[in-house]
Amino acid sequence: MNIFKQLIKSLYSPKDIALFRFQGIGKTILYIFFLTLIAIIPNVSYFSSAIINGIEATQNTINEGIPEFEISNGELTSDQAEPITMEQDNFTIIFDSTGDITLDELEVSNGLALLKNDFVLVAGGNIDTYSYSLFTDMILTKKDISSLVKSMESLLPIILPILVLTIYIFTAGIKFLEVTILALFGLVLKNIMNLKLQYRHMWRMAAYSVTLPTIFFTIMAALQTPVPNGFLINWFVSTIILYLALKEIPKPKTN
C-alpha cells in the first residue's frame, strides 16, 4: 500500500492501522515526514506570504508614512505625538513611540509594529517579539531600517527556503516525540488488554494513529480557525484511535 492510501486509511480505519504494525520501520518514518509536510503547509504559506507582503509594505511605509525616528538605549523615539496605524495589502503596520500601545492590545493577523520598547512581527496570528535592548550598543534610524529592509528583500530567495526547512525540521521533531510518547502510553493499553505486542509494533501503530488529529488541525490552520483546548483534543483523539486499533488485534489463545 502506498503512502497516500495509508494516509486515507488512517483517517477512518483502525483495522488497517493495526495491520500497519507489520510494515518496515523505514516506511513508517517516511510516513511521519510526509504527514509533517502536510501539517506545515498552512503555517508556511501564511508565514511566507506575511514576510513577502510585509517587507514590501514595510519598505513603502517607512519611506512614506513613518516620521523620522531613532532607536537607542532600548527605546524608540520620534516627534510623533500619537500612534500611527496603516493598512496595506492585508498587512498592518503600527508605529508608536509614545508607549500608548502595549503588546496585549495588538489585534492583527498579519503585520508588524514598532512599539516603544519592542519590535513585533505577527504572521498568521502568531506573535514574535524582539526587544530593542538587544541593540543597546547601536543607534538605528529610519534610514538604517529602510536599508535593512531593502537588503532583506533581495535575500528572500535564500531566507525563505531556510526558514521553511527550519520549520519543517522542528515540526518533524515534535511529531516524532508525539508518536514516541503515544507509543509508550500504548504499552500500558496493550498490557491492560492482554495483547502480546512489542514497542516497535506500538510505535508503528502510534505513527498512523496521529493522522486524523493532524489533518484536522491542518484544516483548521488553513481556515485560520482556533480550536479551544487543541492540545487535549489532539491527545484524546490519537489515544482513542490507537485504542480502537488495538481492539482489532486478536488476543492470544489460552489453553
Side-chain angles (χ1 to χ4, degrees), residues 12-245:
Y12 67 89
S13 178
K15 183 177 181 180
D16 283 287
I17 291 176
L19 293 174
F20 293 155
R21 71 187 186 276
F22 296 119
Q23 74 175 15
I25 187 64
K27 190 171 184 179
T28 305
I29 291 174
L30 178 63
Y31 180 81
I32 295 176
F33 279 117
F34 173 65
L35 194 62
T36 301
L37 181 62
I38 294 175
I40 68 170
I41 288 176
N43 287 335
V44 165
S45 176
Y46 288 127
F47 185 74
S48 300
S49 177
I51 289 179
I52 294 171
N53 293 336
I55 288 180
E56 182 179 350
T58 301
Q59 184 70 39
N60 295 334
T61 303
I62 288 177
N63 292 335
E64 301 173 8
I66 290 180
E68 294 292 334
F69 64 85
E70 182 178 284
I71 298 174
S72 61
N73 298 320
E75 287 190 354
L76 170 67
T77 57
S78 75
D79 295 331
Q80 186 68 27
E82 59 184 21
I84 300 174
T85 301
M86 292 156 286
E87 296 276 352
Q88 184 174 340
D89 298 328
N90 296 318
F91 193 86
T92 305
I93 297 178
I94 298 174
F95 179 87
D96 177 29
S97 59
T98 66
D100 290 343
I101 299 177
T102 65
L103 290 174
D104 297 333
E105 295 173 339
L106 289 177
E107 296 181 355
V108 296
S109 297
N110 294 291
L112 62 84
L114 290 166
L115 303 182
K116 182 68 175 177
N117 301 108
D118 302 282
F119 169 77
V120 183
L121 176 64
V122 185
N126 297 316
I127 300 177
D128 293 308
T129 306
Y130 307 92
S131 174
Y132 299 140
S133 60
L134 297 172
F135 311 104
T136 51
D137 296 331
M138 300 173 59
I139 297 178
L140 299 176
T141 64
K142 175 179 175 177
K143 184 178 180 181
D144 296 327
I145 299 297
S146 180
S147 298
L148 177 62
V149 172
K150 190 173 182 179
S151 299
M152 289 180 63
E153 187 174 18
S154 64
L155 291 173
L156 276 181
I158 299 174
I159 294 175
L160 283 180
I162 293 175
L163 288 176
V164 170
L165 181 61
T166 301
I167 293 172
Y168 179 66
I169 293 174
F170 178 78
T171 307
I174 296 294
K175 187 61 66 178
F176 274 98
L177 179 61
E178 178 185 348
V179 169
T180 300
I181 294 174
L182 183 61
L184 289 172
F185 187 70
L187 291 177
V188 177
L189 291 177
K190 71 98 176 176
N191 288 333
I192 294 174
M193 300 170 71
N194 193 29
L195 296 172
K196 291 190 177 299
L197 295 172
Q198 298 179 0
Y199 179 74
R200 57 191 176 93
H201 298 129
M202 295 306 311
W203 199 87
R204 291 174 173 88
M205 292 173 63
Y208 293 93
S209 296
V210 302
T211 301
L212 180 58
T214 298
I215 297 300
F216 170 76
F217 284 106
T218 300
I219 294 172
M220 291 297 102
L223 298 174
Q224 291 188 295
T225 303
V227 180
N229 301 312
F231 177 82
L232 295 178
I233 292 174
N234 177 68
W235 281 101
F236 177 76
V237 174
S238 298
T239 303
I240 292 298
I241 292 175
L242 180 59
Y243 170 73
L244 293 175

